[in-house]
Amino acid sequence: MDIGVFGATGVIGSRVVAEAVDRGHRVTAFTRDAARFPAEHGEADWRVADWLDADSIATAITGLDVVISAVNAGHGIADTIANAGNFVLGAQAMVRALERHPRIRVIAVGGAGSLEVAPGVQLVDTGEEFTTTLTEVLGVPAEYRTVVRALGDALNVYRLSNRHWTYLSPSAGLIQSGTRTGRFRIGGDQLLLGDSDISAEDVAVALLDEAELPRHPQRRFTVGY
């Protein structure tokens, strides 16, 4: 397939590019700044595109089969918090771009905070328990809740659209580089209980599995160990 990856220089995006290339797909890797292109391009075609601009996205994705969006709103935690609203703006831009390419599928990567821990109760809405998870377990400031809510709002942008979308919310835990195992649990809108961390490499596996064999059209799913 022809697969485009937004956020291709990030922790998840770079693994998606590598995984897609390894599987024999034709990969176009997008970043907003050409200075962030890797020294060795490998087999991916690296291009500049602005994930916040619908016109830029629409031009960039022409001819693709699937777009994987693994963007981050900033470089570092503080910058991401300050620009959290960009997650919603980016989702809106992607939906507008896809209106010009109705056959292209998008698989967007979000966060765990909007997953349910009880019927109708999202993880982000568990009050002090969630704050403790942010500060003591994940080691990020309580203000990171802004990012979590923005990612949930981005999911709702896709839910309210009529595009061919899928949303992946990796379960709880900060995603870091690690080992590609190809073995993980898959769920829906509910947080996976137990050891639900997952490596960026296995998130990439889940994304490419979904790209090759769509199991969650117009739905959100989660993955974790």
Side-chain angles (χ1 to χ4, degrees):
M1 292 186 295
D2 289 292
I3 297 177
V5 182
F6 283 82
T9 60
V11 173
I12 296 176
S14 60
R15 273 71 177 180
V16 172
V17 170
E19 180 73 21
V21 167
D22 285 347
R23 295 190 187 202
H25 298 294
R26 295 175 294 274
V27 181
T28 306
F30 299 111
T31 181
R32 297 173 71 184
D33 184 0
R36 295 180 62 83
F37 286 0
E40 297 294 333
H41 289 193
E43 297 181 39
D45 180 13
W46 286 81
R47 300 183 186 179
V48 172
D50 187 351
W51 64 280
L52 295 174
D53 183 274
D55 291 333
S56 180
I57 296 172
T59 299
I61 66 176
T62 300
L64 299 179
D65 298 305
V66 180
V67 174
I68 296 176
S69 179
V71 296
N72 202 347
H75 302 299
I77 291 175
D79 193 33
T80 301
I81 293 172
N83 294 286
N86 283 348
F87 286 116
V88 176
L89 296 178
Q92 292 170 337
M94 180 63 72
V95 167
R96 290 198 302 272
L98 290 172
E99 290 172 355
R100 307 181 206 177
H101 301 283
R103 295 185 179 181
I104 297 178
R105 290 186 290 133
V106 61
I107 308 172
V109 181
S114 59
L115 291 168
E116 293 184 349
V117 295
V121 180
Q122 298 180 11
L123 178 61
V124 69
D125 294 324
T126 56
E128 289 301 319
E129 181 180 348
F130 182 68
T131 300
T132 299
T133 299
L134 288 178
T135 58
E136 298 183 12
V137 178
L138 302 182
V140 298
E143 290 77 13
Y144 198 79
R145 187 186 297 266
T146 303
V147 175
V148 175
R149 292 202 179 278
L151 288 166
D153 291 340
L155 168 59
N156 288 331
V157 170
Y158 289 110
R159 280 175 166 164
L160 293 173
S161 77
N162 61 353
R163 300 298 93 206
H164 296 296
W165 64 271
T166 297
Y167 200 86
L168 171 58
S169 289
S171 275
L174 284 177
I175 301 169
Q176 303 294 341
S177 59
T179 302
R180 182 194 186 282
T181 70
R183 299 186 300 273
F184 41 80
R185 293 180 291 158
I186 299 175
D189 285 319
Q190 290 72 42
L191 181 71
L192 295 175
L193 300 178
D195 181 8
S196 58
D197 291 351
I198 189 166
S199 69
E201 286 78 3
D202 277 340
V203 171
V205 172
L207 289 165
L208 265 297
D209 286 350
E210 182 69 25
E212 293 175 346
L213 184 61
R215 291 187 172 93
H216 304 90
Q218 293 186 318
R219 286 192 293 158
R220 186 255 297 274
F221 73 108
T222 185
V223 292
Y225 295 134

PDB file of all heavy atoms in Angstrom, residues 50-81:
ATOM      1  N   ASP A  50       2.292  20.355   6.615  1.00  0.00           N
ATOM      2  CA  ASP A  50       1.843  20.972   7.869  1.00  0.00           C
ATOM      3  C   ASP A  50       0.570  20.273   8.339  1.00  0.00           C
ATOM      4  O   ASP A  50      -0.481  20.421   7.715  1.00  0.00           O
ATOM      5  CB  ASP A  50       1.590  22.463   7.662  1.00  0.00           C
ATOM      6  CG  ASP A  50       1.280  23.194   8.955  1.00  0.00           C
ATOM      7  OD1 ASP A  50       1.083  22.529   9.995  1.00  0.00           O
ATOM      8  OD2 ASP A  50       1.231  24.436   8.932  1.00  0.00           O
ATOM      9  N   TRP A  51       0.662  19.527   9.446  1.00  0.00           N
ATOM     10  CA  TRP A  51      -0.493  18.769   9.922  1.00  0.00           C
ATOM     11  C   TRP A  51      -1.586  19.642  10.522  1.00  0.00           C
ATOM     12  O   TRP A  51      -2.667  19.143  10.867  1.00  0.00           O
ATOM     13  CB  TRP A  51      -0.061  17.716  10.946  1.00  0.00           C
ATOM     14  CG  TRP A  51       0.530  18.233  12.228  1.00  0.00           C
ATOM     15  CD1 TRP A  51       1.798  18.669  12.424  1.00  0.00           C
ATOM     16  CD2 TRP A  51      -0.127  18.346  13.496  1.00  0.00           C
ATOM     17  NE1 TRP A  51       1.977  19.058  13.734  1.00  0.00           N
ATOM     18  CE2 TRP A  51       0.818  18.862  14.418  1.00  0.00           C
ATOM     19  CE3 TRP A  51      -1.410  18.055  13.964  1.00  0.00           C
ATOM     20  CZ2 TRP A  51       0.515  19.106  15.755  1.00  0.00           C
ATOM     21  CZ3 TRP A  51      -1.716  18.293  15.294  1.00  0.00           C
ATOM     22  CH2 TRP A  51      -0.756  18.813  16.181  1.00  0.00           C
ATOM     23  N   LEU A  52      -1.343  20.957  10.600  1.00  0.00           N
ATOM     24  CA  LEU A  52      -2.366  21.877  11.097  1.00  0.00           C
ATOM     25  C   LEU A  52      -3.084  22.605   9.961  1.00  0.00           C
ATOM     26  O   LEU A  52      -3.981  23.413  10.220  1.00  0.00           O
ATOM     27  CB  LEU A  52      -1.732  22.909  12.038  1.00  0.00           C
ATOM     28  CG  LEU A  52      -1.143  22.355  13.338  1.00  0.00           C
ATOM     29  CD1 LEU A  52      -0.413  23.448  14.098  1.00  0.00           C
ATOM     30  CD2 LEU A  52      -2.231  21.735  14.204  1.00  0.00           C
ATOM     31  N   ASP A  53      -2.709  22.322   8.724  1.00  0.00           N
ATOM     32  CA  ASP A  53      -3.245  23.045   7.572  1.00  0.00           C
ATOM     33  C   ASP A  53      -3.911  22.061   6.616  1.00  0.00           C
ATOM     34  O   ASP A  53      -3.255  21.191   6.057  1.00  0.00           O
ATOM     35  CB  ASP A  53      -2.120  23.804   6.860  1.00  0.00           C
ATOM     36  CG  ASP A  53      -2.628  24.637   5.706  1.00  0.00           C
ATOM     37  OD1 ASP A  53      -2.742  24.088   4.600  1.00  0.00           O
ATOM     38  OD2 ASP A  53      -2.921  25.826   5.917  1.00  0.00           O
ATOM     39  N   ALA A  54      -5.221  22.208   6.434  1.00  0.00           N
ATOM     40  CA  ALA A  54      -5.973  21.266   5.613  1.00  0.00           C
ATOM     41  C   ALA A  54      -5.486  21.245   4.169  1.00  0.00           C
ATOM     42  O   ALA A  54      -5.416  20.182   3.542  1.00  0.00           O
ATOM     43  CB  ALA A  54      -7.465  21.602   5.661  1.00  0.00           C
ATOM     44  N   ASP A  55      -5.150  22.414   3.617  1.00  0.00           N
ATOM     45  CA  ASP A  55      -4.674  22.456   2.236  1.00  0.00           C
ATOM     46  C   ASP A  55      -3.353  21.716   2.096  1.00  0.00           C
ATOM     47  O   ASP A  55      -3.135  20.979   1.129  1.00  0.00           O
ATOM     48  CB  ASP A  55      -4.513  23.906   1.770  1.00  0.00           C
ATOM     49  CG  ASP A  55      -5.836  24.627   1.614  1.00  0.00           C
ATOM     50  OD1 ASP A  55      -6.856  23.948   1.359  1.00  0.00           O
ATOM     51  OD2 ASP A  55      -5.861  25.863   1.757  1.00  0.00           O
ATOM     52  N   SER A  56      -2.459  21.910   3.051  1.00  0.00           N
ATOM     53  CA  SER A  56      -1.172  21.233   3.013  1.00  0.00           C
ATOM     54  C   SER A  56      -1.352  19.718   3.111  1.00  0.00           C
ATOM     55  O   SER A  56      -0.718  18.948   2.375  1.00  0.00           O
ATOM     56  CB  SER A  56      -0.279  21.730   4.159  1.00  0.00           C
ATOM     57  OG  SER A  56       0.976  21.080   4.149  1.00  0.00           O
ATOM     58  N   ILE A  57      -2.231  19.288   4.003  1.00  0.00           N
ATOM     59  CA  ILE A  57      -2.493  17.852   4.157  1.00  0.00           C
ATOM     60  C   ILE A  57      -3.090  17.282   2.879  1.00  0.00           C
ATOM     61  O   ILE A  57      -2.656  16.241   2.375  1.00  0.00           O
ATOM     62  CB  ILE A  57      -3.445  17.591   5.333  1.00  0.00           C
ATOM     63  CG1 ILE A  57      -2.816  18.018   6.651  1.00  0.00           C
ATOM     64  CG2 ILE A  57      -3.835  16.104   5.386  1.00  0.00           C
ATOM     65  CD1 ILE A  57      -3.773  17.963   7.826  1.00  0.00           C
ATOM     66  N   ALA A  58      -4.102  17.962   2.332  1.00  0.00           N
ATOM     67  CA  ALA A  58      -4.795  17.459   1.149  1.00  0.00           C
ATOM     68  C   ALA A  58      -3.839  17.292  -0.022  1.00  0.00           C
ATOM     69  O   ALA A  58      -3.914  16.299  -0.769  1.00  0.00           O
ATOM     70  CB  ALA A  58      -5.938  18.394   0.776  1.00  0.00           C
ATOM     71  N   THR A  59      -2.927  18.226  -0.188  1.00  0.00           N
ATOM     72  CA  THR A  59      -1.941  18.122  -1.260  1.00  0.00           C
ATOM     73  C   THR A  59      -0.984  16.962  -0.997  1.00  0.00           C
ATOM     74  O   THR A  59      -0.655  16.182  -1.901  1.00  0.00           O
ATOM     75  CB  THR A  59      -1.147  19.432  -1.391  1.00  0.00           C
ATOM     76  OG1 THR A  59      -2.042  20.500  -1.707  1.00  0.00           O
ATOM     77  CG2 THR A  59      -0.084  19.327  -2.471  1.00  0.00           C
ATOM     78  N   ALA A  60      -0.555  16.847   0.265  1.00  0.00           N
ATOM     79  CA  ALA A  60       0.453  15.845   0.619  1.00  0.00           C
ATOM     80  C   ALA A  60      -0.059  14.420   0.466  1.00  0.00           C
ATOM     81  O   ALA A  60       0.704  13.525   0.080  1.00  0.00           O
ATOM     82  CB  ALA A  60       0.927  16.076   2.045  1.00  0.00           C
ATOM     83  N   ILE A  61      -1.324  14.162   0.774  1.00  0.00           N
ATOM     84  CA  ILE A  61      -1.813  12.784   0.832  1.00  0.00           C
ATOM     85  C   ILE A  61      -2.393  12.290  -0.490  1.00  0.00           C
ATOM     86  O   ILE A  61      -2.845  11.139  -0.557  1.00  0.00           O
ATOM     87  CB  ILE A  61      -2.868  12.622   1.945  1.00  0.00           C
ATOM     88  CG1 ILE A  61      -4.137  13.409   1.637  1.00  0.00           C
ATOM     89  CG2 ILE A  61      -2.285  13.038   3.288  1.00  0.00           C
ATOM     90  CD1 ILE A  61      -5.241  13.209   2.665  1.00  0.00           C
ATOM     91  N   THR A  62      -2.349  13.108  -1.503  1.00  0.00           N
ATOM     92  CA  THR A  62      -2.865  12.683  -2.806  1.00  0.00           C
ATOM     93  C   THR A  62      -2.200  11.380  -3.248  1.00  0.00           C
ATOM     94  O   THR A  62      -0.981  11.256  -3.242  1.00  0.00           O
ATOM     95  CB  THR A  62      -2.610  13.771  -3.866  1.00  0.00           C
ATOM     96  OG1 THR A  62      -3.269  14.985  -3.464  1.00  0.00           O
ATOM     97  CG2 THR A  62      -3.130  13.341  -5.222  1.00  0.00           C
ATOM     98  N   GLY A  63      -3.022  10.405  -3.602  1.00  0.00           N
ATOM     99  CA  GLY A  63      -2.501   9.134  -4.088  1.00  0.00           C
ATOM    100  C   GLY A  63      -2.235   8.095  -3.018  1.00  0.00           C
ATOM    101  O   GLY A  63      -1.868   6.957  -3.340  1.00  0.00           O
ATOM    102  N   LEU A  64      -2.420   8.438  -1.752  1.00  0.00           N
ATOM    103  CA  LEU A  64      -2.175   7.479  -0.676  1.00  0.00           C
ATOM    104  C   LEU A  64      -3.398   6.597  -0.436  1.00  0.00           C
ATOM    105  O   LEU A  64      -4.524   6.953  -0.785  1.00  0.00           O
ATOM    106  CB  LEU A  64      -1.808   8.208   0.620  1.00  0.00           C
ATOM    107  CG  LEU A  64      -0.541   9.072   0.594  1.00  0.00           C
ATOM    108  CD1 LEU A  64      -0.331   9.732   1.951  1.00  0.00           C
ATOM    109  CD2 LEU A  64       0.673   8.236   0.213  1.00  0.00           C
ATOM    110  N   ASP A  65      -3.156   5.461   0.186  1.00  0.00           N
ATOM    111  CA  ASP A  65      -4.243   4.582   0.600  1.00  0.00           C
ATOM    112  C   ASP A  65      -4.626   4.803   2.062  1.00  0.00           C
ATOM    113  O   ASP A  65      -5.795   4.802   2.419  1.00  0.00           O
ATOM    114  CB  ASP A  65      -3.834   3.113   0.432  1.00  0.00           C
ATOM    115  CG  ASP A  65      -3.531   2.764  -1.012  1.00  0.00           C
ATOM    116  OD1 ASP A  65      -4.407   2.992  -1.861  1.00  0.00           O
ATOM    117  OD2 ASP A  65      -2.415   2.281  -1.287  1.00  0.00           O
ATOM    118  N   VAL A  66      -3.614   4.979   2.896  1.00  0.00           N
ATOM    119  CA  VAL A  66      -3.813   5.130   4.339  1.00  0.00           C
ATOM    120  C   VAL A  66      -2.894   6.224   4.855  1.00  0.00           C
ATOM    121  O   VAL A  66      -1.738   6.338   4.430  1.00  0.00           O
ATOM    122  CB  VAL A  66      -3.495   3.813   5.094  1.00  0.00           C
ATOM    123  CG1 VAL A  66      -3.702   3.988   6.592  1.00  0.00           C
ATOM    124  CG2 VAL A  66      -4.348   2.665   4.578  1.00  0.00           C
ATOM    125  N   VAL A  67      -3.413   7.022   5.784  1.00  0.00           N
ATOM    126  CA  VAL A  67      -2.613   8.020   6.497  1.00  0.00           C
ATOM    127  C   VAL A  67      -2.571   7.623   7.967  1.00  0.00           C
ATOM    128  O   VAL A  67      -3.614   7.342   8.573  1.00  0.00           O
ATOM    129  CB  VAL A  67      -3.214   9.429   6.369  1.00  0.00           C
ATOM    130  CG1 VAL A  67      -2.458  10.422   7.242  1.00  0.00           C
ATOM    131  CG2 VAL A  67      -3.200   9.882   4.920  1.00  0.00           C
ATOM    132  N   ILE A  68      -1.380   7.566   8.532  1.00  0.00           N
ATOM    133  CA  ILE A  68      -1.224   7.331   9.964  1.00  0.00           C
ATOM    134  C   ILE A  68      -0.741   8.615  10.598  1.00  0.00           C
ATOM    135  O   ILE A  68       0.304   9.151  10.212  1.00  0.00           O
ATOM    136  CB  ILE A  68      -0.242   6.175  10.240  1.00  0.00           C
ATOM    137  CG1 ILE A  68      -0.809   4.870   9.675  1.00  0.00           C
ATOM    138  CG2 ILE A  68       0.013   6.037  11.745  1.00  0.00           C
ATOM    139  CD1 ILE A  68       0.119   3.676   9.805  1.00  0.00           C
ATOM    140  N   SER A  69      -1.501   9.130  11.540  1.00  0.00           N
ATOM    141  CA  SER A  69      -1.179  10.402  12.189  1.00  0.00           C
ATOM    142  C   SER A  69      -0.692  10.148  13.604  1.00  0.00           C
ATOM    143  O   SER A  69      -1.464   9.761  14.475  1.00  0.00           O
ATOM    144  CB  SER A  69      -2.405  11.320  12.214  1.00  0.00           C
ATOM    145  OG  SER A  69      -2.112  12.536  12.866  1.00  0.00           O
ATOM    146  N   ALA A  70       0.610  10.332  13.803  1.00  0.00           N
ATOM    147  CA  ALA A  70       1.216  10.118  15.125  1.00  0.00           C
ATOM    148  C   ALA A  70       1.906  11.394  15.575  1.00  0.00           C
ATOM    149  O   ALA A  70       3.041  11.374  16.035  1.00  0.00           O
ATOM    150  CB  ALA A  70       2.206   8.954  15.060  1.00  0.00           C
ATOM    151  N   VAL A  71       1.204  12.505  15.442  1.00  0.00           N
ATOM    152  CA  VAL A  71       1.787  13.815  15.700  1.00  0.00           C
ATOM    153  C   VAL A  71       1.793  14.136  17.188  1.00  0.00           C
ATOM    154  O   VAL A  71       1.030  13.570  17.976  1.00  0.00           O
ATOM    155  CB  VAL A  71       1.016  14.922  14.950  1.00  0.00           C
ATOM    156  CG1 VAL A  71       1.146  14.724  13.453  1.00  0.00           C
ATOM    157  CG2 VAL A  71      -0.454  14.932  15.357  1.00  0.00           C
ATOM    158  N   ASN A  72       2.673  15.047  17.556  1.00  0.00           N
ATOM    159  CA  ASN A  72       2.699  15.592  18.908  1.00  0.00           C
ATOM    160  C   ASN A  72       2.554  17.105  18.801  1.00  0.00           C
ATOM    161  O   ASN A  72       2.959  17.707  17.796  1.00  0.00           O
ATOM    162  CB  ASN A  72       3.990  15.230  19.634  1.00  0.00           C
ATOM    163  CG  ASN A  72       3.840  15.310  21.145  1.00  0.00           C
ATOM    164  OD1 ASN A  72       2.858  15.854  21.653  1.00  0.00           O
ATOM    165  ND2 ASN A  72       4.802  14.764  21.867  1.00  0.00           N
ATOM    166  N   ALA A  73       1.986  17.712  19.817  1.00  0.00           N
ATOM    167  CA  ALA A  73       1.709  19.149  19.760  1.00  0.00           C
ATOM    168  C   ALA A  73       2.929  20.000  20.076  1.00  0.00           C
ATOM    169  O   ALA A  73       2.886  21.216  19.903  1.00  0.00           O
ATOM    170  CB  ALA A  73       0.565  19.501  20.715  1.00  0.00           C
ATOM    171  N   GLY A  74       4.004  19.401  20.568  1.00  0.00           N
ATOM    172  CA  GLY A  74       5.186  20.191  20.918  1.00  0.00           C
ATOM    173  C   GLY A  74       6.395  19.308  21.122  1.00  0.00           C
ATOM    174  O   GLY A  74       6.318  18.080  21.063  1.00  0.00           O
ATOM    175  N   HIS A  75       7.512  19.957  21.359  1.00  0.00           N
ATOM    176  CA  HIS A  75       8.760  19.239  21.637  1.00  0.00           C
ATOM    177  C   HIS A  75       9.019  19.329  23.139  1.00  0.00           C
ATOM    178  O   HIS A  75       9.348  20.376  23.663  1.00  0.00           O
ATOM    179  CB  HIS A  75       9.911  19.862  20.848  1.00  0.00           C
ATOM    180  CG  HIS A  75       9.688  19.883  19.362  1.00  0.00           C
ATOM    181  ND1 HIS A  75       9.513  18.735  18.631  1.00  0.00           N
ATOM    182  CD2 HIS A  75       9.584  20.915  18.491  1.00  0.00           C
ATOM    183  CE1 HIS A  75       9.339  19.047  17.361  1.00  0.00           C
ATOM    184  NE2 HIS A  75       9.364  20.363  17.252  1.00  0.00           N
ATOM    185  N   GLY A  76       8.814  18.221  23.822  1.00  0.00           N
ATOM    186  CA  GLY A  76       8.947  18.227  25.269  1.00  0.00           C
ATOM    187  C   GLY A  76       7.605  18.440  25.932  1.00  0.00           C
ATOM    188  O   GLY A  76       6.635  18.921  25.322  1.00  0.00           O
ATOM    189  N   ILE A  77       7.530  18.097  27.222  1.00  0.00           N
ATOM    190  CA  ILE A  77       6.260  18.124  27.939  1.00  0.00           C
ATOM    191  C   ILE A  77       5.695  19.531  28.069  1.00  0.00           C
ATOM    192  O   ILE A  77       4.509  19.773  27.810  1.00  0.00           O
ATOM    193  CB  ILE A  77       6.434  17.470  29.328  1.00  0.00           C
ATOM    194  CG1 ILE A  77       6.675  15.962  29.165  1.00  0.00           C
ATOM    195  CG2 ILE A  77       5.196  17.710  30.202  1.00  0.00           C
ATOM    196  CD1 ILE A  77       6.982  15.242  30.449  1.00  0.00           C
ATOM    197  N   ALA A  78       6.526  20.496  28.449  1.00  0.00           N
ATOM    198  CA  ALA A  78       6.040  21.862  28.640  1.00  0.00           C
ATOM    199  C   ALA A  78       5.486  22.436  27.340  1.00  0.00           C
ATOM    200  O   ALA A  78       4.426  23.080  27.326  1.00  0.00           O
ATOM    201  CB  ALA A  78       7.154  22.747  29.189  1.00  0.00           C
ATOM    202  N   ASP A  79       6.193  22.207  26.241  1.00  0.00           N
ATOM    203  CA  ASP A  79       5.751  22.716  24.945  1.00  0.00           C
ATOM    204  C   ASP A  79       4.464  22.034  24.506  1.00  0.00           C
ATOM    205  O   ASP A  79       3.571  22.671  23.929  1.00  0.00           O
ATOM    206  CB  ASP A  79       6.863  22.501  23.916  1.00  0.00           C
ATOM    207  CG  ASP A  79       6.632  23.279  22.624  1.00  0.00           C
ATOM    208  OD1 ASP A  79       6.054  24.384  22.693  1.00  0.00           O
ATOM    209  OD2 ASP A  79       7.039  22.793  21.560  1.00  0.00           O
ATOM    210  N   THR A  80       4.346  20.745  24.779  1.00  0.00           N
ATOM    211  CA  THR A  80       3.126  20.025  24.426  1.00  0.00           C
ATOM    212  C   THR A  80       1.928  20.549  25.208  1.00  0.00           C
ATOM    213  O   THR A  80       0.834  20.720  24.654  1.00  0.00           O
ATOM    214  CB  THR A  80       3.298  18.519  24.681  1.00  0.00           C
ATOM    215  OG1 THR A  80       4.399  18.036  23.904  1.00  0.00           O
ATOM    216  CG2 THR A  80       2.043  17.745  24.312  1.00  0.00           C
ATOM    217  N   ILE A  81       2.124  20.826  26.496  1.00  0.00           N
ATOM    218  CA  ILE A  81       1.041  21.392  27.311  1.00  0.00           C
ATOM    219  C   ILE A  81       0.617  22.745  26.759  1.00  0.00           C
ATOM    220  O   ILE A  81      -0.579  23.036  26.624  1.00  0.00           O
ATOM    221  CB  ILE A  81       1.487  21.518  28.778  1.00  0.00           C
ATOM    222  CG1 ILE A  81       1.683  20.134  29.402  1.00  0.00           C
ATOM    223  CG2 ILE A  81       0.464  22.321  29.589  1.00  0.00           C
ATOM    224  CD1 ILE A  81       2.312  20.161  30.780  1.00  0.00           C
TER     225      ILE A  81
END
